[in-house]
Amino acid sequence: MDDYRALNRASWDERAPAHAASPDYNRDRFIADPAYLSKVVRFDLPRLGDIAGLRGVHLQCHIGTDTISLARLGARMTGLDFSAASVAEARRLAADTGSDVEFVHADVYDAVGVLGREAFDLVFTGVGALCWLPDVARWAGVVAGLLRPGGRLFLREGHPVLWAVDETRDDGALVLDYPYFERAEPIVFEDSGTYVATDAAFTENVTHSWNHGLGEIVTALLDQGLTLTMLVEHDSVPWQAFPGRMDRLDGGEWRLTDRPWRLPHTYTLQAVKR
Ligand SMILES: C[S@@+](CC[C@H](N)C(=O)[O-])C[C@H]1O[C@@H](n2cnc3c(N)ncnc32)[C@H](O)[C@@H]1O
């Protein structure tokens, strides 16, 4: 079971510098414009509300673009990721933008021990994060452990129905071919590419991932004593999930070209610890 960490970490370590160099992560804009926010954070601004002064943690923060965006909105942010190369890129972006954000190298399942119990007002996570974790109930325990009473979880994620669709079809059909529910067995992919524009060539291409049904995610949080306060499903996704079958929208998100109302693309969920 522990093999998934080594495989996935190698893949992320190799991709982090290429992502930092890709125009899709807009590193130059972050440095040039102190008010610039990642498109993921911009998308959810109306739902995020005022986070000024909150003590926040971004789990699985990757190269830190969303974490620094949240700091720009006034939160005191910590980012956590198990990929050393991702953390190095995040620290480099923080230095280059003069952002006072701490980046910590650790596995998400170890976050409470590393960062402290009930230390945060806000846990932010998502957009290709939960799929790397085998056990969503264990993740919910981490979220509950990090939040102080009254603190909230803010989650934007790929919808489990989207993750279950066969992305290789070219006949317009949306076919569920991957698991929707969480299973013990990982979904094993071998993919020499990535989700942003880059000329980089990769060799660490085997990953293990898992889907988690929407009910499983909500139930895991309820079981930890959190109260669900928002669950909005969206018809757009921040990356081109089905290459060649999506339109790019104003704001940079992607939507299925053919009858997009068939598919919940992503969701935003908020929950509060009582
Ligand atoms: C697609 S990124 C999500 C971040 C954000 N959406 C972004 O684009 O910047 C996924 C991140 O999860 C991290 N990750 C995967 N498994 C992890 C684990 N078990 N513990 C901590 N981080 C993990 C990877 O290193 C990677 O940086």
Side-chain angles (χ1 to χ4, degrees), residues 48-244:
L48 198 53
D50 183 8
I51 60 167
L54 296 186
R55 183 81 182 87
V57 60
H58 180 190
L59 299 177
Q60 298 176 247
C61 64
H62 197 38
I63 61 172
T65 47
D66 296 340
T67 330
I68 287 172
S69 299
L70 296 166
R72 286 180 169 183
L73 294 173
R76 288 178 292 137
M77 290 303 300
T78 299
L80 177 143
D81 203 285
F82 82 158
S83 153
S86 297
V87 170
E89 289 296 345
R91 287 178 182 152
R92 190 164 70 92
L93 185 61
D96 290 350
T97 54
S99 307
D100 184 15
V101 176
E102 183 188 17
F103 287 100
V104 174
H105 180 217
D107 192 280
V108 71
Y109 286 152
D110 299 330
V112 177
V114 172
L115 299 175
R117 184 164 292 280
E118 300 195 341
F120 295 95
D121 306 303
L122 176 72
V123 172
F124 182 95
T125 193
V127 187
L130 292 190
C131 58
W132 303 108
L133 307 178
D135 183 346
V136 77
R138 189 172 171 195
W139 165 82
V142 171
V143 171
L146 291 169
L147 286 173
R148 64 153 177 87
R152 72 171 148 142
L153 165 69
F154 193 101
L155 170 65
R156 168 104 193 272
E157 250 315 350
H159 200 288
V161 172
L162 173 117
W163 295 127
V165 171
D166 177 358
E167 77 288 7
T168 65
R169 298 280 293 219
D170 57 10
D171 60 357
L174 293 174
V175 176
L176 300 185
D177 200 40
Y178 299 108
Y180 172 83
F181 293 112
E182 182 178 299
R183 304 186 72 225
E185 298 77 22
I187 304 163
V188 180
F189 279 112
E190 179 154 11
D191 181 359
S192 60
T194 186
Y195 54 87
V196 294
T198 177
D199 292 332
F202 303 115
T203 56
E204 301 290 348
N205 297 332
V206 179
T207 58
H208 286 191
S209 57
W210 291 264
N211 205 355
H212 315 284
L214 195 56
E216 291 174 330
I217 295 163
V218 169
T219 299
L221 294 166
L222 298 178
D223 284 349
Q224 290 294 330
L226 274 73
T227 301
L228 189 69
T229 55
M230 176 183 287
L231 179 55
V232 184
E233 292 169 301
H234 307 291
D235 64 356
S236 69
V237 58
W239 74 98
Q240 195 178 180
F242 304 113

Side-chain angles (χ1 to χ4, degrees), residues 26-34 72 93 96-97:
N26 276 326
R27 198 176 185 282
D28 292 348
R29 284 287 301 278
F30 273 96
I31 295 168
D33 178 1
R72 286 180 169 183
L93 185 61
D96 290 350
T97 54

